[in-house]
Each structure stands twice: as structure tokens, then as C-alpha cells.
Amino acid sequence: MSIKVYGYARVSSDEQHEDRQIIALMQAGVKKQQIFIDKQSGKDFNRPMYKKLVRKVASGDLIYIKSIDRLGRNYEEILEQWRYLTKNKNVDVAILDMPLLDTRRGKDLVGTFLSDIVLQMLSFVAENERNMIRQRQAEGIRAAKLRGVQFGRPKEKITDEFICVYGQWKDKKITAAEAAQICNIALSTFYYRAKKYADTVSGDNKHPG
């Protein structure tokens, strides 16, 4: 039975592009129709194309992956998936960004041992780098808040023009659709702002200065 060659690529969202991974996999000799691609975060490891690939591969087949962090969401999971593929499924795995992580290189005890050591080191480094990025992001956000930077959606300002149009609509001189058109906003947005303004006015009346 001939050995089949597959590729696996993953991006964290629909906004990201997998082109770089696909090009590298095809340059390694993987046919495009044999590349399995997931476009979702590895957070819960619920990756349908990866699972399909695992079901499809047979003993002796080869899987190419661009980088080790495409295989799992953290250190433990990368090791778990690597061992499952290489031991349980008995397939070869080659990481393109790290030629040492190629199970075809050493089938003897020493070769397997070295691959496991390199894998553990790289998995740890990859997870540590992700943790450092999250930490730097959190520190940056805290520092920005201390400087007075506001996060989230900017507060919508009720303009004098809107108040005037709102008054005409409230007095039933114009329809809500006409009011929205005058303000150049969607009808749903007009209703939202109208309610917000009405709540503000009501609040001011309840708490006179």
C-alpha cells in the first residue's frame, strides 16, 4: 500500500489567511486537495478538519505541518496530539519550520528520543511566548487605563439636530422613518437613540439640579 502525504493548516479566525501555510505545504510536495484547513481558534480544539484528517490517515502516511503551534492550543495538547499521531496512528509527522521535528529522520531509539526532547522544548517555548504576549497586552491595557484611555465602543453623543428631529417625531409631525432619514441613520438606530435620549431626559427630571 502506497504512503499518502497530507498537510494540515490552521488559522485562528476567518479574518486571517492560510495562504502562507498552504504555499509552504505545497512546496513540500503536498497536493492542494490533500491539505486540511481549520479556520477557528484552537481554544477548545473543536476542529472538524483536523479530526477528519486524523480519521483518514493510515499507518505509514505522512503529515506536514508548517509550525508546531498549529498542532495544539498549549504545551500539553501539542505533546498529546504528537504522541497520538506518531504512536497510536503510527504516521510520520514533519514540522516544516523545524526540520529536527521529522519522525522520518530517526526511527531508532536515539532518533525518537531526540525528537521528543526537541518537541517538548519547542512546545514549552511556544506556550511561553503566547503567555508573554497575553501578559504584555494586559499590562498595556492597564497602563492605557491609567493614562485615561477609554476602551470599548465610544459613547454616542446626542446632537442638537437629533434633539430637534426627536421633538418633531415625538409631536407626531414626522414619522420615525422620516426622522431616521433626516438624521442619516438606520431606523433601528433612531429608535435606540430616541429611547436613550428619553431615558436621559426622564432621569434629569427625576433628579433636578
Side-chain angles (χ1 to χ4, degrees):
M1 186 171 62
S2 61
I3 294 174
K4 294 182 179 180
V5 180
Y6 300 95
Y8 178 69
R10 176 175 65 83
V11 291
S12 300
S13 67
D14 289 333
E15 287 73 29
Q16 294 182 342
H17 299 286
E18 69 278 5
D19 297 1
R20 185 172 61 89
Q21 296 179 57
I22 292 177
I23 291 172
L25 294 171
M26 293 181 67
Q27 288 176 340
V30 186
K31 295 179 180 179
K32 192 169 184 179
Q33 61 268 29
Q34 296 291 71
I35 297 176
F36 291 72
I37 305 167
D38 276 311
K39 289 190 177 183
Q40 54 187 287
S41 170
K43 182 179 179 181
D44 56 3
F45 216 67
N46 181 26
R47 301 184 292 176
M49 296 308 293
Y50 176 79
K51 292 179 178 179
K52 184 177 179 179
L53 171 62
V54 172
R55 290 194 300 268
K56 190 176 182 67
V57 293
S59 177
D61 287 345
L62 170 63
I63 301 175
Y64 279 108
I65 304 174
K66 179 71 169 67
S67 58
I68 190 63
D69 62 347
R70 302 298 87 190
L71 191 57
R73 59 182 175 179
N74 54 41
Y75 170 69
E76 288 82 7
E77 200 149 45
I78 291 172
L79 292 176
E80 178 187 349
Q81 294 303 317
W82 178 276
R83 287 167 180 160
Y84 179 76
L85 291 171
T86 59
K87 302 295 191 296
N88 294 57
K89 300 292 291 188
N90 194 32
V91 300
D92 281 314
V93 180
I95 306 299
L96 297 178
D97 284 352
M98 179 53 63
L100 281 174
L101 285 178
D102 187 337
T103 55
R104 298 169 299 172
R105 291 177 60 89
K107 292 294 185 180
D108 58 1
L109 183 60
V110 174
T112 301
F113 175 75
L114 288 176
S115 291
D116 283 350
I117 291 297
V118 172
L119 174 66
Q120 291 188 45
M121 289 177 61
L122 290 177
S123 300
F124 175 77
V125 169
E127 182 179 7
N128 189 60
E129 178 63 22
R130 286 192 294 271
N131 290 336
M132 289 296 293
I133 290 173
R134 286 194 291 267
Q135 181 180 339
R136 287 194 292 268
Q137 289 174 337
E139 290 172 350
I141 291 173
R142 284 197 296 270
K145 286 182 176 179
L146 289 175
R147 295 195 304 269
V149 176
Q150 298 291 325
F151 291 88
R153 293 179 60 184
K155 293 182 179 179
E156 296 176 344
K157 185 178 180 181
I158 303 297
T159 64
D160 292 338
E161 178 192 16
F162 179 85
I163 295 173
C164 178
V165 174
Y166 169 84
Q168 291 179 302
W169 169 71
K170 196 70 174 174
D171 293 338
K172 298 183 179 181
K173 294 179 180 178
I174 58 174
T175 66
E178 290 171 333
Q181 187 175 12
I182 294 171
C183 295
N184 196 28
I185 57 177
L187 180 60
S188 58
T189 303
F190 173 77
Y191 279 127
Y192 170 78
R193 292 184 183 176
K195 182 179 184 307
K196 187 175 181 181
Y197 176 67
D199 290 343
T200 301
V201 173
S202 177
D204 290 341
N205 290 337
K206 291 179 180 178
H207 302 91

